[in-house]
Amino acid sequence: MEVFNKDGTVGKILGDLVELRRLVGGLKAERKGGVPFPVKSAKDLMSKLRGALDEMNMSILVVGQAITHVPSEKQIIVHVVTTIRIVSSDGTFVESVGSGHGASNDDKAGGKADTYAWKSAVVKALSIPDEDMVDTDDESKPVEVVKKFNFGKGR
């Protein structure tokens, strides 16, 4: 992670990440294609991300990837670990690692794992929330409302 300029000053990347997160906004988790749980669409993420990156003159690069074929007699299973680098216009950057598994009876396992690993790395780097902020892993738990605390006079 290179967040400092060559002269030792803090680079643009830290502030740019906050603005990039604001521009991308949340992602809606939806049930699609027979998947038994809601997922955030990589297509939706890429669409929002592309415009925000262009507006801010930033880029995202895949700088590392490890692909493992998991032995299975029933289907093709692939595990991918992807490292992305989010680069600001001054050259400072942060890196994030995502991991994904894909399973298929045809040649789609690698693509599924690759897409999920990339999406995971981006979502983690930017801390992108669900649009409705619901925990998609456990919909049975009620959403807690956090009360704001007044730090002003008269506490």
Side-chain angles (χ1 to χ4, degrees), residues 40-152:
K40 297 174 186 175
S41 163
K43 189 183 226 179
D44 185 27
L45 174 57
M46 180 52 85
S47 176
K48 290 180 172 188
L49 196 55
R50 185 179 301 119
L53 289 168
D54 287 348
E55 183 176 323
M56 297 186 65
N57 196 27
M58 295 176 71
S59 59
I60 293 183
L61 311 165
V62 173
V63 295
Q65 196 164 58
I67 302 168
T68 306
H69 295 272
V70 181
S72 172
E73 293 180 18
K74 296 181 180 181
Q75 58 187 346
I76 299 168
I77 302 173
V78 177
H79 177 236
V80 175
V81 176
T82 298
T83 303
I84 62 161
R85 180 176 290 175
I86 302 175
V87 185
S88 197
S89 61
D90 67 351
T92 55
F93 63 88
V94 295
E95 291 183 351
S96 179
V97 178
S99 173
H101 281 88
S104 179
N105 292 324
D106 52 25
D107 64 348
K108 294 182 179 5
K112 290 176 182 180
D114 183 43
T115 299
Y116 193 86
W118 175 85
K119 181 174 63 171
S120 172
V122 172
V123 167
K124 283 189 238 179
L126 298 178
S127 302
I128 297 174
D130 291 332
E131 283 183 349
D132 53 8
M133 293 301 292
V134 172
D135 178 2
T136 58
D137 293 329
D138 188 0
E139 293 181 35
S140 65
K141 290 185 179 178
V143 177
E144 292 183 38
V145 177
V146 178
K147 294 181 181 179
K148 291 185 178 180
F149 185 78
N150 182 0
F151 287 101

